[in-house]
Each structure stands twice: as structure tokens, then as C-alpha cells.
Amino acid sequence: MRWNVRWQKRARRAVSCRPFSWFFLIILHSPFFVPDSSAQPGIWRTHPSFLSAQTVAAVQDKIYCASENGFFYYDAGASEATRLSRDDGFSELGVSYLAYLTDQKRLLIAYRSGTIDLLSVTATGEPAGTSTITLIRDAAQISGSKRINHLGRVGNDAYLSCDFGIVVLDVARVEIRDTYRNIGPEGASAVVYATAFANDSIYAATSRGLLAARFDPAVNLAFFGNWKTVALPAGSSVRSVVGVSSRLFVAVPGEGVAERRGGRWTVVKAVPAITGLVQTATEWVATAPGLLQRESGGLVNNALVGAPRALVEAAGSFWVADSLSGLLRISGTAAEAVSPDGPASDAFQQLVAAGQPAQVLALPGGFSEDLKPLRRRRGFDQFRENRWQNFLTNSLPTDFVTAVFNPTDGRTYLGSFGGGLWQHQYQNPPEAVNRVLATISSLTVDPNGEVWLATPTLNVGQTSIHVRRKSGSFESFAPNRGDIQQLLLDDNGFLWTRLSASNGGGMQVFDPATNRSRLLYDQTGEGDLPDRNVRSLVKDRDGLIWIGTDNGIAVFDNPSAVFTGAVNAYRPVFERRRLLSGESVRALAVDGGNRKWIGTANGLYLFNEDGTALVEHFTSQNSPLPSNQINALAIEPAGGEVFVATPNGLVSYGGTSSEPTPVFSGISVFPNPVRPDFAGLVSIRGLVENTVVKVMDAGGQLVYETRSQGGTATWDLRDYRGRTAETGIYFVFAVTPDGREGVAGKLAVVR
């Protein structure tokens, strides 16, 4: 019968608790709490990169800056950065432009979606309340992108440069006054990157070239015929146009800054590597790699300046939003990076989590929401002790694609697509292990601490699976098919491999002990996969192999029999249909309670052990997920925190299940004490599997009872009647399923 192995194991876990003396427990076991730095259960954390800075604004004593998916302000006096998110009242992620309206004492925050937040600030520049304008975002007559790229202001009118045209916002009345669309030649649509005002005209840098119109109330700027094309120097960029004291300037690639005089362009400052122009209150500044050139003289020549996008002058310094280095503070010729810590990228193709000590490794890359490959960058990122560390040295490959943690030697092994095998331990610089096996697609580690790796090939008979023995020597194998994209080791020592979709897809199981290979496809008796395009593999806590395909989930419930006779995958049923049928399953992870986390193009799912009951379904609409497209998942085992990679950023969720401990060695109760403003779940961690947890009040009355999910139990601070826990001291008792061992602790609740 299917699932018989799993049901037997579940039955062993569910042994009823034997009678136990709670008073005796208190005497023999004093409370022992271990530190807990993971996210609180049910609480989301965002992990944006702050290095891709796009825009900056000076607000009183604070410098506000936004990267592609991050937002923060920097207090120059205190030298402290404060992160901002939707939890602080802001509408969404993806800030595209910032502008401080000095007379209004409000910060205009424009988003890629077209949404506008107007942030009121205190006398020292801290956030003090937000109002939102959604007319652009919700305009049904505007199709395509509604991104806001720039703001130019004349009086109370703010001219917003958008991907569809120009919107005029009355900042005093907070209302949209006008919209200019299709202003290109012959009424063509045009992306507007920026506007500038010089002499009696408004200029627009657009995807159709540099456009100009007479700036006069009598001129209808909504009519394309009133916009004329301005001839540009050969090869010049029109993404940036600047008007300073009624003078007009553009950047000319390969030459420098050009000014329009008498209908002609004249280069007024040579900057051969120029990438753009930005504007301060009094002058223009030309940008180039490693260089900022002021109109009034040299500003800085510093390698930390990578790709400047915007700058402001405040608090005696220049503040530069640099898309490679984050927010830079420039004083004289010295440059200093002041962004909050975070990963160096927003998109990752693989996440690897490990406990003892808790850490997560993130490899850049992945897929966009339309499944196009995202740009990779050099190195990788590590999250440890609640801080991110970036390993970005030039000696590292630009294409790490796979990693695995080896608990035997405490090292993380990384494979690159061209740079070979590397190893890394904590904060030490990564070291090359083997550069001969250059192209590695997947890594796994066996219980003996030996590292297995795949080097994909289409050549029949060529070795494509290798093992690095503990001695440091390598042994190679040649299974039937070598186009291996992922390796997974089962409890029998068999290697389950995901094969390239471009070469027919499917799966292959290889036994290195006997050199047997078994190919699995979508035919009955030969795997019966829901789809040949296999996207992800994972082994659960019962040893079952879960498969994510372009047509949902499949499970091999008897891996030991894969080489004997007919083999058919089982497809769990949820709500009378095959589990996630029709959905592309791109990521799978198993938590400490053997529950299944499943990442698709329609959000993140959490199912019970066998996939028959839905526990959670998170989307970008009901959670902080920045996208419904899930690229990778990893669960930090000690705390159960679930890390989720999307094309628009990395987030993590405080899970309610962690890896169980073999024996009790101390439990953590968090938060403790519970303060009046806390509205989440209390977590009890450090438990053995299926622990019985009881919460009692100071009078000895039972308040709550549950069993752990893996090594974690949670309490919603309500008693068995649904009443909120009152102020007081509560006792937490945890007992193994057989009743032979237990620990106790105290929890303070303040209301």
C-alpha cells in the first residue's frame, strides 16, 4: 500500500505521553534558555540590497535613499542608517524617484508602479505620516509601464517624467492637473526620462530623442504638434538633460558636457568616460566610473564611485546614490559608503541554509518574472548572526551556481559554471579546491562528509558525476545521461538527478556502488512524471523524494525499489485534484515538521506532511513577498526561518517549525517577556520531535497545550477558551513523546 513507510514513521512519532510529575520536573530541571536570533514565528523580514542606489534626497538632517528594492534614511549626525519598508506605512517596494518639497515639508516618493507617497516629516526629518496618490497607477487608459523617472518643478507644479509621458502634479493641492501623452513625432508614444527648463522652453529627454516646447500657459503641451525634435550631437545620450540658470546641457558620450548656444551644441567640459548628468541646486555634475565632475571644478576621483545615478548637497557633504556602491558620503575628495548592511544583489538562483551556527548562503542570479535569466554578479552573500557579509573579491568567479554545506568539516562548498570547486568557512576568504572540474551544475554531500558534484555533458560515456573523498582525492562516474542539472542523494546512497529540459528532460537515478542507471520519464511504468520538465527535487524527513515539475508535484514513496520493475510516481491529491496541477513548481523545501514549502509562479505554498492540506498560501497581495515568482527556497534548520528568493528581492518568514534536537539541551522561549505591543506568536524552540508542550499559569491551571512541529512549538497567547493571556508569570513544560524526559521554563507576560 502506498505511503505505508511514512504512516508507520508518523505512528511512531505520535506515541502518547506517559503520566508525568510536573512538580518533579520543576525541581530537577531549572530553566535554561538558549539565545534565539531568528525571525519571530509568523513575522516577515525583508533583505533588500542597498547597493543598487537609484535616487537620493536631503530632508532636514536626514538623507533619504532608495535602491532597486530597498529604502532607508541616514542620520549624518549620529552616523546611523534606518531601514524603511511597508511596515512603516509606505505603499510598496520599488521606489524610482525621491524629491523633497521644501516649502511643503514633504518628501515625494515615486514608485515604479506609478504610485506616489507624500511623506510628512518632523523638524529633524523623521517620517511623520504618509498620504498616497494612486491615480497614475490605477489609470485604466494608460497601458504598459507607469514608472515615474524624474521630477522637475516650477512653482506648485511638479512635472513627473513617466514611461508613458509627463504628468503635472499640483503639490499644493495634491492633485493631478494635466497629462501629456504621445508627444513624440507624429503623436508617437515616448518614454520620458527627465525634463529641464531653460530660456522660455521645456525640454524632455525621451526614447524619441530630445523634445522641446515653448513653456507658456497659452501652449497646449498635451498636443504633440507643439513638441519639436531638437537635433543632438552625434551619439549623445538623451536620458539626462539639465537646465541651470536658463542654460541647457546634455552629456555627449566619448566627449563630455555640451551646452546649447545659439542653436548649436558646444562641449564645455571634457569628460571622455561620461555616463550622464545630474543637477544640484546651483550647477550640473557629470558622472563617470570613478569620477564626479562639477561644473565649478573637480569634485572627486575615487574608485568607490562606480555608477552614480543622483546626488544632493547637504550637511557639508555631497551624497551620491550609486547603483554599484550604494549611498556614498563625499567630503572633499574622500568617499565613504554608508548604506545599511544587506546582500549585494536582489536576485538569487540558489539559497543554502545550515544550522550550528545558523547561516544562509545566497548565490546571485535566478529568473525574472517572465522566466528570463537575470544578470549574475561576482561572488556570493552570507547571512549570519543577523548580518549580511558580501564576498565580492575579483578573485572569485562570476558564476557560482550551486552550493552545499558539509556538517562534517563545517565548510560550505561552492560550484561555479566555469571556475571549478571552491570551499568557504564562516568569514574566511573562499579557497579554490579543484579548477580542473571547471563546469559544475550541482553539489550534494553524503553522511560521511564526502562531496558529490555534477559536471554536465551531452557526450555519451563521458564522466559527469564525481565525488571528493575525505582524503581529498576524486573519483568519477559516467551514468547513461550526463546532462545533469541537480543532484540529490537518498537514504539508499542513490543519486537522483534532474536532467536538462533542452535535452528531453526527465530524471535519472544512479547507484555509484553498482554503476546502475534508471531513466524516469512521463510514461507509465517509467516514472509516470506529471511533466518531463523537472524543476526541483527534495528529500523529506521520511526519505521520500518530492519532485517539482511544470505540471505540479510528484512523489516517489519507495526510492529503494527504483531499480526493480515498473516505477510510478505518486501524485498527492488536494481538494479533489492533483497537487498544484498546471503550475510550474520551481522550488521545494522541507521544514523540521516534515511540511512542504513549495515555490511557484503563483506564490509560496505551505502544505502538511503528505500534501493533502494547505497550511498557508502567500502572495504579493497578502504578504510582503515582492513577487509571486519564487526562484529559490531555504530553511534555516535551527530556527525554522524560511528564506524566499524572488526576482524583486529576498525575504524571510519566521516559520513555526524547526529541526528537532536529538535530546533536550535547553529551550528558548521568545519573546520573553511579552510586552504590551506584541501581537505575534510566542515560540518555544530546542525541542525534540513531537514534544508535548503545556503552558500553566502561576496558580497551576492549564492554559494551553500543543505538540511541536519538529523542534518548535508556538503559542498565540490565548487560552483554550480563546481568551487573551493576562499579565503574569506562566510556566512552560516540555516533555518527550514517551514521557521520560522534560524541561521547564518561565514566561513573563505584560499587558
Side-chain angles (χ1 to χ4, degrees):
M1 180 180 296
R2 291 192 186 275
W3 303 96
N4 56 335
V5 174
R6 174 170 45 79
W7 288 118
Q8 290 170 11
K9 290 184 178 180
R10 179 183 288 181
R12 287 197 294 270
R13 290 181 188 151
V15 176
S16 60
C17 182
R18 297 179 182 178
F20 193 87
S21 171
W22 299 102
F23 180 76
F24 187 63
L25 175 70
I26 297 174
I27 294 176
L28 292 182
H29 296 268
S30 60
F32 175 60
F33 298 106
V34 296
D36 193 331
S37 60
S38 301
Q40 297 176 18
I43 302 299
W44 290 87
R45 297 201 286 186
T46 59
H47 303 274
S49 170
F50 294 102
L51 298 186
S52 58
Q54 304 293 308
T55 180
V56 62
V59 182
Q60 312 296 7
D61 299 331
K62 307 297 184 292
I63 308 300
Y64 283 74
C65 182
S67 60
E68 285 286 351
N69 296 296
F71 189 27
F72 68 99
Y73 68 80
Y74 184 79
D75 186 323
S79 299
E80 293 179 348
T82 300
R83 305 179 187 209
L84 302 170
S85 69
R86 285 189 287 182
D87 291 339
D88 300 298
F90 298 99
S91 292
E92 48 195 82
L93 297 173
V95 176
S96 58
Y97 197 80
L98 297 172
Y100 183 48
L101 310 175
T102 308
D103 55 327
Q104 304 287 324
K105 290 185 171 53
R106 288 188 293 189
L107 177 67
L108 186 145
I109 306 166
Y111 296 91
R112 293 192 292 264
S113 68
T115 297
I116 297 171
D117 279 343
L118 290 171
L119 173 68
S120 300
V121 296
T122 66
T124 54
E126 287 93 353
T130 304
S131 60
T132 303
I133 303 173
T134 61
L135 289 176
I136 298 175
R137 184 196 70 187
D138 298 339
Q141 68 273 26
I142 301 175
S143 59
S145 173
K146 300 174 184 178
R147 178 189 177 108
I148 300 172
N149 302 308
H150 180 262
L151 180 149
R153 185 175 175 186
V154 177
N156 286 331
D157 290 335
Y159 290 78
L160 305 176
S161 301
C162 305
D163 277 0
F164 58 86
I166 299 173
V167 173
V168 184
L169 171 68
D170 186 324
V171 296
R173 297 185 177 182
V174 192
E175 61 184 22
I176 302 295
R177 193 171 63 78
D178 216 338
T179 302
Y180 313 143
R181 299 171 55 203
N182 303 321
I183 60 175
E186 305 300 323
S189 61
V191 176
V192 181
Y193 305 116
T195 58
F197 300 88
N199 300 318
D200 62 348
S201 299
I202 177 175
Y203 294 85
T206 79
S207 57
R208 304 285 180 174
L210 182 61
L211 306 177
R214 191 161 63 90
F215 192 62
D216 187 282
V219 177
N220 179 14
L221 296 181
F223 174 50
F224 70 87
N226 288 326
W227 291 85
K228 308 300 181 183
T229 301
V230 179
L232 288 164
S236 61
S237 169
V238 293
R239 284 185 173 267
S240 55
V241 58
V242 171
V244 180
S245 301
S246 294
R247 300 162 62 198
L248 188 71
F249 302 89
V250 296
V252 181
E255 295 190 35
V257 182
E259 180 184 357
R260 188 166 178 81
R261 298 173 178 172
R264 300 173 62 86
W265 294 98
T266 302
V267 175
V268 295
K269 184 72 74 172
V271 186
I274 192 169
T275 56
L277 277 179
V278 293
Q279 185 174 357
T280 71
T282 58
E283 62 181 342
W284 54 255
V285 179
T287 62
L291 175 69
L292 295 173
Q293 175 67 61
R294 294 177 65 172
E295 179 181 9
S296 57
L299 175 60
V300 66
N301 192 334
N302 192 299
L304 196 58
V305 178
R309 297 294 300 271
L311 60 83
V312 293
E313 189 173 9
S317 300
F318 274 88
W319 303 85
V320 180
D322 191 290
S323 62
L324 294 179
S325 301
L327 179 62
L328 303 179
R329 179 179 189 169
I330 298 178
S331 302
T333 58
E336 175 191 9
V338 296
S339 297
D341 83 281
S345 174
D346 279 314
F348 299 96
Q349 60 185 313
Q350 187 177 11
L351 304 173
V352 177
Q356 307 305 323
Q359 58 183 299
V360 174
L361 210 70
L363 306 184
F367 298 88
S368 66
E369 292 183 346
D370 56 2
L371 300 185
K372 294 180 180 178
L374 294 169
R375 179 177 63 87
R376 295 173 181 167
R377 61 157 176 79
R378 189 177 301 279
F380 58 92
D381 299 289
Q382 177 182 267
F383 185 68
R384 184 168 176 259
E385 296 178 345
N386 276 323
R387 292 190 61 85
W388 284 96
Q389 184 175 3
N390 314 127
F391 293 87
L392 306 174
T393 62
N394 290 331
S395 63
L396 295 178
T398 57
D399 51 4
F400 282 126
V401 297
T402 180
V404 66
F405 179 74
N406 189 345
T408 302
D409 61 15
R411 290 179 171 85
T412 300
Y413 289 82
L414 300 103
S416 71
F417 216 71
L421 179 66
W422 292 65
Q423 67 179 9
H424 164 68
Q425 189 172 28
Y426 306 139
Q427 298 181 355
N428 299 328
E431 301 174 347
V433 175
N434 185 316
R435 291 182 180 270
V436 176
L437 300 173
T439 303
I440 300 172
S441 61
S442 183
L443 295 168
T444 191
V445 64
D446 65 26
N448 296 321
E450 297 182 325
V451 180
W452 294 79
L453 54 149
T455 55
T457 178
L458 296 177
N459 297 327
V460 177
Q462 183 173 330
T463 58
S464 58
I465 293 179
H466 316 266
V467 58
R468 182 180 186 265
R469 301 297 185 188
K470 295 178 72 173
S471 64
S473 64
F474 283 80
E475 184 179 354
S476 301
F477 304 86
N480 285 352
R481 280 182 61 178
D483 53 320
I484 298 170
Q485 305 302 303
Q486 182 182 352
L487 288 175
L488 176 69
L489 189 71
D490 73 8
D491 292 342
N492 309 289
F494 302 158
L495 287 163
W496 294 68
T497 68
R498 175 169 60 86
L499 302 175
S500 172
S502 61
N503 194 41
M507 296 174 56
Q508 178 178 241
V509 186
F510 178 69
D511 179 9
T514 62
N515 279 318
R516 292 180 296 175
S517 295
R518 177 73 185 263
L519 296 174
L520 302 174
Y521 297 109
D522 51 355
Q523 291 94 350
T524 301
E526 300 298 330
D528 199 21
L529 299 174
D531 192 278
R532 283 198 174 204
N533 196 5
V534 178
R535 297 283 187 178
S536 51
L537 309 174
V538 73
K539 182 185 74 172
D540 75 5
R541 293 178 56 79
D542 290 334
L544 281 61
I545 308 300
W546 287 65
I547 314 296
T549 77
D550 273 350
N551 188 28
I553 295 288
V555 183
F556 288 94
D557 57 359
N558 191 10
S560 61
V562 69
F563 290 104
T564 58
V567 175
N568 294 301
Y570 173 73
R571 298 189 65 184
V573 175
F574 169 66
E575 292 185 343
R576 299 184 179 180
R577 56 192 297 263
R578 302 296 188 184
L579 184 60
L580 299 180
S581 178
E583 293 201 41
S584 179
V585 177
R586 305 192 63 86
L588 290 168
V590 178
D591 68 16
N594 206 27
R595 302 179 303 176
K596 310 308 185 289
W597 292 83
I598 304 174
T600 73
N602 295 313
L604 177 65
Y605 295 86
L606 171 60
F607 282 91
N608 67 340
E609 288 188 21
D610 57 14
T612 59
L614 178 65
V615 181
E616 300 280 5
H617 179 204
F618 297 116
T619 68
S620 58
Q621 288 72 44
N622 66 12
S623 76
L625 275 177
S627 167
N628 285 334
Q629 174 66 50
I630 310 301
N631 285 339
L633 294 170
I635 302 175
E636 187 275 295
E641 188 168 5
V642 183
F643 286 77
V644 187
T646 80
N648 296 334
L650 177 68
V651 296
S652 62
Y653 177 75
T656 57
S657 176
S658 59
E659 290 288 333
T661 60
V663 295
F664 283 135
S665 60
I667 62 173
S668 68
V669 181
F670 185 82
N672 192 6
V674 174
R675 302 191 182 279
D677 58 349
F678 181 75
L681 298 172
V682 172
S683 67
I684 302 100
R685 291 174 176 153
L687 307 174
V688 301
E689 193 164 9
N690 211 29
T691 295
V692 177
V693 177
K694 294 176 182 285
V695 179
M696 291 185 173
D697 63 20
Q701 296 295 313
L702 179 65
V703 175
Y704 179 73
E705 181 176 350
T706 188
R707 286 182 180 266
S708 67
Q709 287 283 348
T712 297
T714 60
W715 180 32
D716 64 359
L717 294 170
R718 294 183 179 275
D719 65 15
Y720 61 92
R721 294 182 180 177
R723 298 173 300 188
T724 302
E726 298 178 349
T727 296
I729 299 297
Y730 293 82
F731 295 94
V732 179
F733 303 102
V735 183
T736 56
D738 60 10
R740 294 180 178 178
E741 186 180 2
V743 292
K746 292 179 181 180
L747 169 66
V749 176
V750 181
R751 292 300 188 185

